[in-house]
Amino acid sequence: MAASTSSLTFQPVLERIAEEIERTPGRGLAADYIPALAARDPRSFGMAVAELDGTVYGVGEWREPFSTQSITKVFTLALDLAREGDALWEHVGREPSGNPFNSLVQLEYEHGIPRNPFINAGALVVTDRLHTRTGDAAGELLSLLRAESGNAGLDFDHDVAASETAHGDRNAALAHLMASYGNIGNPVPVLLDDYFRQCSVMASCADLALATVFLARHGLRADGSRLLSRSQAKQINAIMLTCGTYDAAGDFAYRVGLPGKSGVGGGIIAVVPGRCTLCVWSPGLDERGNSVAGVAALDRFTTLTGVSVF
């Protein structure tokens, strides 16, 4: 039976989950197309929970920085949505893709309008639009993460960015295809530089759990100022639930029952609106690019605590 969070603090829950994960065989494989990711031990594990007041609980390697990768798509989406509002949705959809995160096929069928902001094509559009408004989308992202996490030392990993650039032909193809439909406003090389730097940010579970709390606070930042309206925060949480874990979002919603966003660095963030946020990291991935231990840990968290959006 699930325990009430009023009678069960998060720390014992996290410790129990870590013990269970440690005994779990078959933890997947680290992403192999970026050397810095391939070098990570797939059995590494960290998990953190941040409450609305900034209190953080953690277990395992929860202070260990890792490559955030696609998790940053949530934050660039928030930054751009805050600036241009609903006009964004004329350029990117809000529907699950059902295809791999770097698919070109669907994009051509739909005339250069990506299905959602969390597949690569959609994230490229959001980054492009944020760059138009700020002149440095990756820099704006880094400033937001530093401010919300309270960690001024967060930074890009230039080796990871360079490696992604060297293996970035598919993303370049996506950007050029969308540019041919008039859905990219900046020169493609400029956009790709911004995008690869964005994905290379190094942060820990503690950093990312704290940085995500504005989505649990219905759009309010750590300093009390408003980044998003309540409606916009709800929109991002909804898209995370339906699109945040590549083409496994349905299974993630079924197992975990929380808005979440994963990255091929092995991290996953999740949001309990009005209550807390979570970040879990373990580099071993399944065939869809999601952390095997991360999904299992979030599944156990919602089961043990009874916390869910359903």
Side-chain angles (χ1 to χ4, degrees):
M1 179 180 295
S4 163
T5 53
S6 63
S7 62
L8 183 65
T9 63
F10 287 130
Q11 191 62 40
V13 174
L14 295 181
E15 291 171 2
R16 177 172 172 180
I17 291 169
E19 291 172 1
E20 293 180 6
I21 293 297
E22 180 61 29
R23 296 194 299 268
T24 303
R27 301 266 285 273
L29 299 173
D32 60 4
Y33 62 94
I34 301 172
L37 304 186
R40 289 287 199 169
D41 179 0
R43 292 190 63 83
S44 294
F45 177 81
M47 188 172 185
V49 179
E51 296 184 310
L52 301 188
D53 64 359
T55 302
V56 188
Y57 306 88
V59 70
E61 297 171 75
W62 66 297
R63 298 281 189 187
E64 174 71 19
F66 62 89
S67 188
T68 55
Q69 295 293 311
S70 288
I71 290 174
T72 59
K73 294 173 181 177
V74 172
F75 302 95
T76 50
L77 175 59
L79 286 166
D80 189 72
L81 188 61
R83 284 167 170 78
E84 67 168 316
D86 287 346
L88 170 64
W89 305 123
E90 298 173 15
H91 301 270
V92 60
R94 302 185 295 271
E95 295 292 335
S97 69
N99 284 310
F101 59 86
N102 59 358
S103 173
L104 284 152
V105 176
Q106 191 171 61
L107 190 59
E108 184 165 19
Y109 283 145
E110 298 181 350
H111 308 291
I113 305 295
R115 187 63 71 90
N116 67 70
F118 295 149
I119 55 175
N120 286 16
L124 285 164
V125 167
V126 173
T127 298
D128 176 67
R129 298 185 70 77
L130 183 61
H131 184 87
T132 296
R133 283 158 180 76
T134 65
D136 184 6
E140 288 292 316
L141 162 74
L142 188 61
S143 294
L144 177 68
L145 292 176
R146 285 173 172 175
E148 297 307 294
S149 68
N151 183 356
L154 295 185
D155 209 345
F156 307 113
D157 185 321
H158 297 290
D159 290 338
V160 170
S163 183
E164 295 206 48
T165 299
H167 297 83
D169 291 340
R170 178 62 69 101
N171 285 314
L174 290 168
H176 282 294
L177 180 59
M178 291 186 293
S180 76
Y181 285 103
N183 202 22
I184 295 294
N186 293 285
V188 168
V190 172
L191 168 59
L192 293 176
D193 177 69
D194 234 2
Y195 181 71
F196 293 140
R197 284 192 297 133
Q198 165 191 318
C199 292
S200 77
V201 172
M202 297 291 291
S204 69
C205 291
D207 295 326
L208 288 171
L210 285 167
T212 309
V213 173
F214 73 93
L215 288 173
R217 286 195 293 253
H218 309 295
L220 289 178
R221 297 184 58 169
D223 64 3
S225 64
R226 183 166 288 283
L227 175 63
L228 301 170
S229 69
R230 289 182 68 96
S231 177
Q232 289 171 330
K234 180 194 72 174
Q235 290 168 3
I236 291 179
N237 283 327
I239 298 169
M240 287 172 68
L241 180 69
T242 57
C243 308
T245 46
Y246 309 122
D247 53 338
D251 186 61
F252 185 83
Y254 176 84
R255 291 183 61 185
V256 176
L258 295 175
K261 182 71 194 85
S262 60
V264 295
I268 308 174
I269 56 172
V271 180
V272 186
R275 183 69 179 89
C276 65
T277 55
L278 304 98
C279 181
V280 60
W281 169 66
S282 185
L285 309 179
D286 62 22
E287 66 279 1
R288 289 172 168 174
N290 297 310
S291 170
V292 173
V295 174
L298 291 170
D299 183 359
R300 289 300 291 151
F301 180 85
T302 54
T303 298
L304 291 169
T305 63
V307 170
S308 171
V309 297
F310 299 109

